[in-house]
Amino acid sequence: MPTETQTAVRDAVRSFAQEQIRPNSMAYEAAGGYPPALFAELAELGLMGMTAPEAVGGAGLDYGSYALALIELAAADGALSTIVSIQNSLIVTGLLKDGTPEQQARFLPDLVAGRMIGAFALTESDAGSDAAAMRTRARKVDGGYRLDGAKQFITSGKIAGLAVVYAVTDPTAGRRGITGFLVPTDRPGYSVDKVEHKLGQAASDTCAIRFDDLFLEDDLRLGAEGAGYGIALSNLEAGRIGIAAQSVGMAQAALDIAVAYAKDRRSFGQAIIQHQAVGFRLASLATSLEAARHLVLAAAAAKDAGEPCLTLASMAKLFASETAETVVSGAIQTLGGYGYLEEYGLAKIYRDVRVCQIYEGTSDIQRLVIARSL
């Protein structure tokens, strides 16, 4: 059961998300983005640095609170929850874990205050889950590095003020030749090649970005040279918990729409939820969703306890993301033709939730991680 603090966080985020975000979700999708002031409002709730200590402006909360908050945010707007998930789990957490005190002092205040959005740049067109195939290069020069290459499928690549970029510093060393860098996006040499036109989550930009002879001082290297692969993988624990949580949130929103409709819609003299075909469908969906929720919270609890939880996080992401698509599809089926119409909201959720089985490790990669641990 959630603690008193976790319950208070969940309820506060639910109230804000349902009152301020959900009514505008379709407008954000049509506009292809969010007003910058919204990120500041999220920061006031502590959502842009939930697990960051209060000393750097964060909320100082646990991962259980983070997962519950992300569920509520995703129930209002899936794309916004993606931006917030990456901001917390990959950018802020990465800086806290591997950044120097100087790097933390330079970037964390703006990140947790919502004045700066972060992007996580690991994937390339030919190097997704196989990070060792990376082609982006960081060449050592006097006083720093010269960065050249391209990244693909980068969330917030257009709006980000800081990109955490992984590049090869030693082509002969395989995975041990990858290094992380903190790249301010206003540097000469950083460019957005393309903003992708996607099936869903249109309000969260996904970009192809390029680095052309971009100079980075030595103090913008994240961690030791050659430690980038390990840094990236270690941050994916929290990242996968975040994607699992947003999957639950979007699925819950869809199930709520379906249940409300099934109680209101009458057929053959009674509400359709009283017809066994409909009631049993919703019962099965609700059961699967509750199992997914508990798996997400179990992974978050393990993270809070300081236990290795990559396998549990992978289980949570795998089960929650695949369950979410099933739940949303079942919700559409419950509404019949109305479920296929934009005005009922399920079509948008269906578009938004599908990518949860792809980013931050596909379902196949999650199964690979889990199988290796058995």
Side-chain angles (χ1 to χ4, degrees):
M1 293 295 292
T3 65
E4 185 176 341
T5 297
Q6 291 171 344
T7 300
V9 169
R10 180 198 65 195
D11 292 348
V13 176
R14 177 182 296 169
S15 177
F16 178 83
Q18 291 300 314
E19 293 174 10
Q20 304 297 324
I21 296 172
R22 187 174 184 180
N24 299 306
S25 182
M26 297 293 285
Y28 296 145
E29 181 184 51
Y34 301 94
L38 180 58
F39 297 125
E41 292 183 66
L42 294 175
E44 288 180 13
L45 285 173
L47 292 174
M48 302 303 276
M50 289 201 71
T51 60
E54 295 179 9
V56 298
L61 294 168
D62 57 11
Y63 278 93
S65 297
Y66 168 60
L68 288 167
L70 207 58
I71 287 171
E72 297 302 331
L73 192 60
D77 190 304
L80 184 60
S81 71
T82 294
I83 296 173
V84 172
S85 175
I86 290 172
Q87 184 90 346
N88 278 273
S89 61
L90 298 181
I91 308 303
V92 172
T93 296
L95 267 169
L96 287 168
K97 187 169 64 66
D98 297 295
T100 65
E102 293 75 19
Q103 290 170 340
Q104 293 172 8
R106 179 175 175 180
F107 295 112
L108 281 177
D110 284 341
L111 288 166
V112 300
R115 293 188 295 269
M116 177 185 286
I117 301 299
F120 185 78
L122 176 67
T123 300
E124 299 181 2
S125 58
D126 294 321
S129 299
D130 182 12
M134 187 179 298
R135 294 182 179 180
T136 298
R137 298 287 187 264
R139 176 171 48 90
K140 190 73 180 75
V141 296
D142 186 32
Y145 298 82
R146 291 283 178 181
L147 186 65
D148 288 280
K151 297 291 181 178
Q152 181 65 35
F153 303 129
I154 308 305
T155 299
S156 300
K158 180 181 178 182
I159 65 171
L162 177 71
V164 179
V165 179
Y166 294 89
V168 175
T169 48
D170 183 355
T172 67
R175 294 176 179 178
R176 294 183 177 86
I178 297 172
T179 303
F181 296 92
L182 302 172
V183 180
T185 62
D186 59 358
R187 288 287 175 99
Y190 180 99
S191 60
V192 176
D193 273 356
K194 181 184 180 184
V195 178
E196 303 293 353
H197 183 64
K198 302 173 296 184
L199 171 67
Q201 299 205 18
S204 168
D205 70 80
T206 301
C207 300
I209 60 177
R210 181 169 298 279
F211 314 104
D212 294 302
D213 198 32
L214 191 156
F215 178 72
L216 295 167
E217 296 84 356
D218 285 319
D219 61 7
L220 287 173
R221 189 184 68 224
L222 181 64
E225 191 168 295
Y229 186 79
I231 291 173
L233 286 189
S234 66
N235 289 335
L236 288 177
E237 275 188 357
R240 288 170 180 171
I241 292 171
I243 302 306
Q246 72 166 177
S247 299
V248 170
M250 284 186 269
Q252 184 65 63
L255 184 61
D256 289 346
I257 292 170
V259 170
Y261 179 86
K263 288 179 178 179
D264 183 65
R265 175 78 158 88
R266 298 185 66 80
S267 175
F268 301 102
Q270 59 184 344
I272 63 171
I273 198 169
Q274 295 174 342
H275 293 298
Q276 191 176 83
V278 176
F280 276 21
R281 178 196 299 129
L282 294 175
S284 294
L285 297 179
T287 301
S288 296
L289 180 55
E290 194 62 19
R293 188 191 319 274
H294 281 269
L295 191 51
V296 172
L297 295 178
K303 183 74 173 172
D304 283 326
E307 300 171 3
C309 64
L310 182 59
T311 299
L312 195 54
S314 293
M315 288 178 173
K317 182 185 182 298
L318 171 66
F319 187 74
S321 63
E322 295 196 345
T323 295
E325 184 179 7
T326 299
V327 170
V328 181
S329 180
I332 292 173
Q333 194 69 26
T334 300
L335 270 68
Y338 291 111
Y340 209 64
L341 302 181
E342 290 287 352
E343 64 189 278
Y344 283 80
L346 290 174
K348 180 181 184 303
I349 299 172
Y350 196 62
R351 291 194 300 273
D352 288 350
V353 83
R354 183 57 181 85
V355 73
C356 293
Q357 297 176 56
I358 299 172
Y359 56 14
E360 293 198 37
T362 64
S363 289
D364 292 330
I365 289 297
Q366 307 311 319
R367 288 185 171 91
L368 180 62
V369 170
I370 297 163
R372 285 175 174 172
S373 74
L374 297 179

